[in-house]
Amino acid sequence: MRTAWLDCSAGASGDMLLGALIAAGADLAYINTAVAAVDPSLSVTVTQTSRHQIAATKATVEVNGTPHPENIPETGHGHGHGHGHGHGHGHGAEVAAPDDELGGGVPGEDGGGLLGGGERAAGSAGRHGRGADHGPTRAWADVRRLLEGAVLDEPVRVRALDTFARLARAEAGAHGVEPDTVHFHEVGALDAIADIVGVAAAAVSLGLERVVVSTIVLGGGKQVRGQHGGIPIPGPAVLHLVSEAGAPVVGGTAPYEMTTPTGAALLATLADEYGMMPPMRVTTTGVGAGGRDPVEVPNILRVIIGESTDQPATELVYETNVDDLDPRLWPQVLAKLLAAGAADAWLTPILMKKGRPAHTLSVLVTGANADAVRRVVLTETSAIGLREYPIRKHAADREFTTIKLDGHAISVKIARYDGQVVNVQPEYDDVVAAAAELNQPVKLVLARAIAAAEALWN
């Protein structure tokens, strides 16, 4: 089982996590294709740097080829992360002022995502000179429509939507409003889109089957100044996120915020479980750097990837026999199971006692999503019980790349076994979308995509 352990002993932010995954081998071209599919102005670049003399990769968001303002670090080291984001948010009919944040400073440069991260010093216009007016906003519903309409591989879309939804719920909970009333300032939305979609694409590119997250260091001991006074660390948004996820946390020794809302939301979305590094044969590592180099701790997040040696039975199969469900309901049931976190779900026709035709519903799921899957089975079908048994899965290494057909991007999955390419397959949904745009038969576009991907066998 291809396993990743995320070491969050210096906290987490979107750019730190993205840099670590790229350093561990995630395909930067695939990441940029996904990011640009959501907003064509966005891209991600990487540079090599160091923190406390530890070599690290810095991921930088660019807008139309220019580094995003939140990715331009201040000079000097300092004792705090002190990133001065404050792109703000609003809720309801009125949009709040830019510093109306409920988070704190962050160890990266992701602006605390769309929520929180409002640590700009009182009386300052921000180090980027933007003053109090951050321009237009994007509602959470608008961001959701962007992600739903973008040409993305479905696993990337699902992870990105889950992360943004967690952020919206955290912000709404912190302010006591409904998630759909939350608005994000445009500059924050752009940076968060790149970080969140980029991390989702990086995880898919690496073919991770199991993600274990360490105890998350949040920081604390100091308040930053928002528009409405002092803000406690950890901020309300971060606490909401880790509480909802059931993640183990610790304050840490550094007197500033070390985990951003974006970082916390991404960890919650990626994590199959939490704990120490599991037994594994390490195959690759990656170190991602935050935007600052504080004196207290090396501002890095590490990812260690390898093959599990303990072969934990973290995957389960649930089964139940159903003979009295309207067959028109099955497609929706299968879709809801996948949305609930099932790795796969399928039906097998069977013949039950007294010659009654029926189906066996089988669902493959990790332990982290087992409760949600059981709920779907018992509420969406006529089953009143189900069987459970653990399994061990052996999978080829997987990665994604992109080909172009008449300007239309089609994702291609590449599978390797013992380092040798054993399968190259265009993603069918992308083929269907391209066929519709090109007004060509799906079978023709599929044949063209397979031919265009032939070189990837080498």
Side-chain angles (χ1 to χ4, degrees), residues 12-14 104-108 110-113 115 238 241 257-265:
S13 64
V106 295
D110 64 19
L115 328 162
V238 169
L241 286 158
E257 187 174 55
M258 300 174 70
T259 294
T260 72
T262 300

Side-chain angles (χ1 to χ4, degrees), residues 357-401:
H359 289 92
T360 296
L361 171 64
S362 302
V363 188
L364 175 65
V365 63
T366 62
N369 297 319
D371 288 343
V373 163
R374 285 197 300 269
R375 179 174 296 276
V376 172
V377 173
L378 296 175
T379 58
E380 297 290 337
T381 78
S382 55
I384 58 175
L386 64 166
R387 303 178 293 277
E388 170 190 313
Y389 55 90
I391 67 164
R392 304 192 193 282
K393 187 172 76 172
H394 301 274
D397 292 334
R398 285 160 257 181
E399 64 183 84
F400 287 85
T401 189

Side-chain angles (χ1 to χ4, degrees), residues 112 114-115 140 143-144 147 158-174 179 182 184 196 236-247 260-272 274 339-341 368-369 372:
L114 289 79
L115 328 162
W140 156 227
V143 176
R144 184 168 58 229
L147 293 170
V158 168
R159 279 192 170 122
L161 282 169
D162 182 37
T163 305
F164 273 106
R166 290 175 185 271
L167 284 167
R169 290 196 300 271
E171 182 72 355
V182 173
F184 311 129
I196 290 171
V238 169
L239 289 176
H240 186 284
L241 286 158
V242 296
S243 174
E244 181 185 68
T260 72
T262 300
L266 283 166
L267 293 176
T269 298
L270 292 174
D272 294 308
Y274 298 92
N369 297 319

Side-chain angles (χ1 to χ4, degrees), residues 51 58 68-86 106 108-109 119-121 124-130 290-294 299:
R51 298 290 182 264
K58 178 69 179 73
H68 190 278
E70 303 299 347
N71 285 268
I72 303 173
E74 292 180 5
T75 58
H77 298 280
H79 285 267
H81 288 278
H83 301 295
H85 300 292
V106 295
E109 292 296 337
E119 59 158 37
R120 291 167 62 187
S124 77
R127 68 178 186 275
H128 311 306
R130 290 194 299 265
R292 302 296 182 84
D293 194 4
N299 191 16

